[in-house]
Amino acid sequence: MDHLSHNRRAWDRASTSGCVWSEPVDAATIARARAGDWQVVLTPKLQVPRNWFGDLRNRDVLCLASGGGQQAPILAAAGARVVSFDLSDEQLAKDHQVAEREGLALQCLQGDMADLSTLRDASFDLVFHPASNVFVPDIEPVWRECHRVLRPGGELLAGFMNPMVFLFDHDAADASGELVVKYSLPYADVSQLTAAQLQNKVQRGDMLEYGHSLDAQIGGQLSAGFVIAGFYEDRWFDDSWRLANHAPVAMATRARR
């Protein structure tokens, strides 16, 4: 199965169907960002610490797999020169829509987060990468590409899912109220769902997901040449997800080249 083409179509569909990550920010949010009052997220709800960014004015920022008319336009309004690089055409269209409406310095490029070959070496000061590597089977190329396109001293701000999320049968938990360990890590829909489950997921147009180990998430950044300079965990938006009542479901790192 071509997971890239499938997830591109799935995200295009989600983007036009009211996904929470596909609601473009309004003019008031952009005006506040221009005045220095702004915040963005790498994980479900905690704001990224402002000291992770420094002064964004006239810095080159790559927003990687974070389309949807939210983070990239805000960072551009804060003064950065932003490139939004995303798999989904519809998500990029949301970024372009806000940039056109507000006159922001924001360029949109379509592509795979694991292949940034269209971008030059050492061309960015910051890579902003929300929790989206759950949609690629191998994240080590993502870390290597981020390291390549960053200038010396540049930083990667990355969010990702806690791998223990993928251990449980969440459908069964919703039905019975009990969390039951069913799967192993690293996780992949394409190999651990039954043929019928996978077919149903594909037919529904849901994204194909992959649960990566902490060794791949954090160790992979270290192997790519980064130094971890910051870390935090985050919970889900609300208490509707049973697992999120017991533990954080996402985390974020600040890594320096």
Side-chain angles (χ1 to χ4, degrees), residues 109-179:
L109 298 174
Q110 191 279 329
D112 174 12
M113 71 180 83
D115 179 8
L116 306 182
S117 56
T118 58
L119 303 174
R120 299 190 312 274
D121 293 358
S123 52
F124 294 95
D125 301 298
L126 181 75
V127 175
F128 185 84
H129 181 43
S132 52
N133 67 34
V134 66
F135 304 114
V136 293
D138 185 2
I139 59 173
E140 292 191 6
V142 178
W143 304 139
R144 290 195 297 267
E145 284 288 83
C146 287
H147 190 273
R148 179 184 64 79
V149 302
L150 278 168
R151 295 174 179 130
E155 293 192 317
L156 163 67
L157 310 186
F160 45 91
M161 298 303 293
N162 189 322
M164 62 97 178
V165 164
F166 296 93
L167 291 172
F168 300 98
D169 185 337
H170 296 287
D171 290 337
D174 290 340
S176 69
E178 296 183 1
L179 287 166

Side-chain angles (χ1 to χ4, degrees), residues 7 9-25 65-71 86 88 90-91 94 131-132 135 205-207 209 236-237:
N7 279 354
R9 292 190 300 270
W11 263 110
D12 284 348
R13 185 179 299 107
S15 185
T16 57
S17 302
C19 172
V20 66
W21 300 115
S22 307
E23 301 172 1
V25 295
S66 71
Q70 299 176 3
Q71 297 103 339
D86 199 282
S88 166
E90 292 293 338
Q91 288 289 85
K94 301 289 178 68
S132 52
F135 304 114
D206 294 343
M207 297 84 170
E209 293 184 317
W236 196 237
F237 300 102

